[in-house]
DNA sequence: GTGGTCTAGACCACA
DNA sequence: GTGGTCTAGACCACG
C-alpha cells in the first residue's frame, strides 16, 4: 500500500503531489493494477489534508483512467504507466543508486542532483514524452 | 544568458517556474555570479507572461540573496548554490548522461527516469536538504 | 456564449450537468474552438451554484482536453467533438424537428420522446460510441 | 421481463438508473400493468449491485404508484406512464428509427444524436414536462 | 476581475 | 465505513 506524504511548503498543490506520487509508483512498479489506494479518510489523517483534497486527486487519477473508485469499497488501480521490464528497471535503478552515492560523496545535495538530471534530460531530449506538447494527457505536475 | 520557458499547463505557478530555473542553473553552474538575467521585458515577450509575474520571481530571488537588481542596468547574479567543484560536477554529469542513454535504450520515458531518481533519493535520504521523510519514495515536489 | 442552466431536482450532479451542456454544445456546433465559456462568477450568479461546482466542471473539461483555462483571462474552448458536417447536421436537425412535431401532436411528452430515442438507439447499437466500454474517455453523465 | 443494466461509471446513482429504466419501459410500452419486475436477487446477480440498492429503486417506484410488491410473489407493474396509443407509438418509433439510420450514415455518433434531440426539444419546449427554460438548448438531464 | 487551491462541514449513495 | 457532491468562504496567481 502506497504511503503518501505532502509537503505543505511546496508550491505544488497538495492534490497534485498525491497525483504525482501515484503516477511515480505506477512507473516504478510499486503500484500495480488491482492494488488498493489508501482510503480517503486514512490519507486525511496521515497527511492532515482535507477529504476534498484527496478526492480531487483520486478523481483526477480516475479521469485519466489510472484508478477506479468503487462506492463503499475503496479506490483501486486499473491502469499502468511506463510498462518497462521490471528486471531492466531494477538494473537501471541499481546503477543509478551507485551514481547517486558518488554524487553525494562529492557533496551534491538532493536539489543539485535533481537539477543535474533535469539539465541532462533537457540537453538531448527524447521525443517520446511530451515536454511542451499540450496534447490530451495531463501535463500537470511540474516544469523545470 | 539563461533561457526561460514556462509551461502554462503546469500546476506550478509561472513565477515559481522562473525561480526554479534560476536556482537549477546556479546549481549546475550554467549561471555564475556576475551573469546577467534576461530583462523583464525580454522574458515577457519570450514567455508571454505578465511583467508583474517576472518581477515577482526576480524579487523572490533577490530576497534570497541570489540576484541583485541594479536600476537601469538589469538583474545580476550575486550568490551561489551548491558550490560543488565544477570538474567533479562535469564528471558526474557525464556519467549520468551515459546512464540516461542506457535508460532510454531500455525504453524508459523521461517521466520514468524522474520517478526512478525520486525513488532512489527517497530510499536512502540525505538529511542535508528538505523536510519530509518519504515512505514510498519521492521527496521531489519543487521548492519555491 | 453558451447559457447554462442547472436542474437542482435532477439526480445528475450539478457539475455534470454543466459538463454535459458544454459537450452537447460542442457536438451540435454552438460552441467552437476559441469561444469563451461564461466566467465562473457569471455561472455562479446565473445558476446559483457554488464557484467550486463550476470550477469542478471546467476542470473536468480541461482534463479531457476540450477547454483551456487561462489565468486572469477566462476559460476557452480548445477541442472539438463529433465534427460532423454542419450542413448535414442542420438537415438532420430539421427532419428531427418535424418528427418531434408529429410526436407531440400524438400526445408524447418530452420524457416519452427521450425514452423512445434511447430505446431505438439501444436496439441496433452502433459500436462507434462506447456504451458499456469503460475506456479512457469519460463515460460520465447518464445511463438509460 | 425487463433486463436491467447499470453503468457504474455514470454519475447517475445506481438506484436511479434502475428507476429510470422501468419508467422508460413503461413509456415505450415494453412494460405493462401486470408484468413482473425481476426479483431483487436476480438484479443483484445480473448487475452486481447491493440488494439494498435494488430495494431502494423498487420502493421509490412503489411510492410513485407504478409498481406493487406482493410478499413472497415478487414486484408487479400496477401503473402506466405516457399512455400514448401503442399503434401511434409504433409508427413514430419506426420513423425515428429511419431518421436514426440517416443520422448514422452521416457519421453521427450516439452522443451526437442525443445532443441533437436535446437541442431540438429545448428549442421549442412543450411546457407539459419539466421545469427550466433552456437558453442554448438542453433540457435533458434526467429526473429520478 | 479571472481562474485555482484549500478548508470545514453537511449530506447522499453504496457495501 | 467508503467514495461523492455541494456549500461557504479565505487566500493565492495572473492580467
Amino acid at each position: 500500500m502506497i504511503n503518501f506524504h505532502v509537503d505543505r511548503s511546496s508550491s505544488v498543490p497538495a492534490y497534485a503531489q498525491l497525483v504525482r506520487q501515484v503516477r511515480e509508483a505506477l512507473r516504478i512498479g510499486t503500484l500495480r493494477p488491482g492494488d488498493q489506494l489508501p482510503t480517503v479518510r486514512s490519507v486525511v489523517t496521515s497527511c492532515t489534508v482535507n477529504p476534498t483534497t484527496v478526492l480531487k486527486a483520486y478523481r483526477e487519477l480516475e479521469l485519466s483512467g489510472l484508478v477506479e473508485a468503487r462506492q463503499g469499497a475503496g479506490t483501486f488501480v486499473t491502469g499502468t504507466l511506463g510498462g518497462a521490464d521490471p528486471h531492466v528497471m531494477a538494473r537501471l535503478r541499481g546503477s543509478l543508486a551507485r551514481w547517486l552515492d558518488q554524487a553525494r560523496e562529492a557533496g551534491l545535495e538532493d536539489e543539485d542532483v535533481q537539477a543535474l538530471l533535469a539539465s541532462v534530460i533537457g540537453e538531448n531530449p527524447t521525443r517520446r514524452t511530451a515536454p511542451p506538447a499540450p496534447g490530451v494527457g495531463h501535463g500537470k505536475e511540474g516544469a523545470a
Side-chain angles (χ1 to χ4, degrees), chain A:
Chain A
M1 174 82 75
I2 191 173
N3 193 2
F4 291 119
H5 62 99
V6 315
D7 174 6
R8 317 306 300 271
S9 71
S10 166
S11 59
V12 179
Y15 85 92
Q17 294 184 31
L18 297 179
V19 168
R20 178 182 195 139
Q21 285 168 41
V22 170
R23 294 177 64 89
E24 285 189 351
L26 284 171
R27 291 220 169 253
I28 64 176
T30 52
L31 223 44
R32 277 193 296 266
D35 290 355
Q36 181 175 9
L37 293 188
T39 67
V40 171
R41 287 156 173 79
S42 75
V43 178
V44 164
T45 60
S46 68
C47 298
T48 56
V49 292
N50 197 283
T52 58
T53 301
V54 185
L55 254 328
K56 184 171 185 177
Y58 282 12
R59 172 76 171 159
E60 188 158 323
L61 288 166
E62 188 172 17
L63 285 175
S64 64
L66 295 177
V67 309
E68 181 184 298
R70 299 182 201 144
Q71 281 279 35
T75 305
F76 299 83
V77 176
T78 56
T80 59
L81 276 179
D85 179 344
H87 294 79
V88 176
M89 204 74 163
R91 187 173 54 75
L92 285 167
R93 181 193 188 83
S95 51
L96 181 59
R98 283 195 296 281
W99 177 89
L100 218 210
D101 283 342
Q102 289 179 29
R104 280 173 167 166
E105 280 172 17
L108 295 219
E109 304 170 9
D110 288 352
E111 208 181 323
D112 290 306
V113 169
Q114 287 160 359
L116 208 49
L117 180 61
S119 159
V120 172
I121 285 180
E123 221 158 55
N124 42 356
T126 346
R127 279 299 74 95
R128 247 191 308 245
T129 323
V136 163
H138 276 67
K140 298 285 157 188
E141 252 89 278

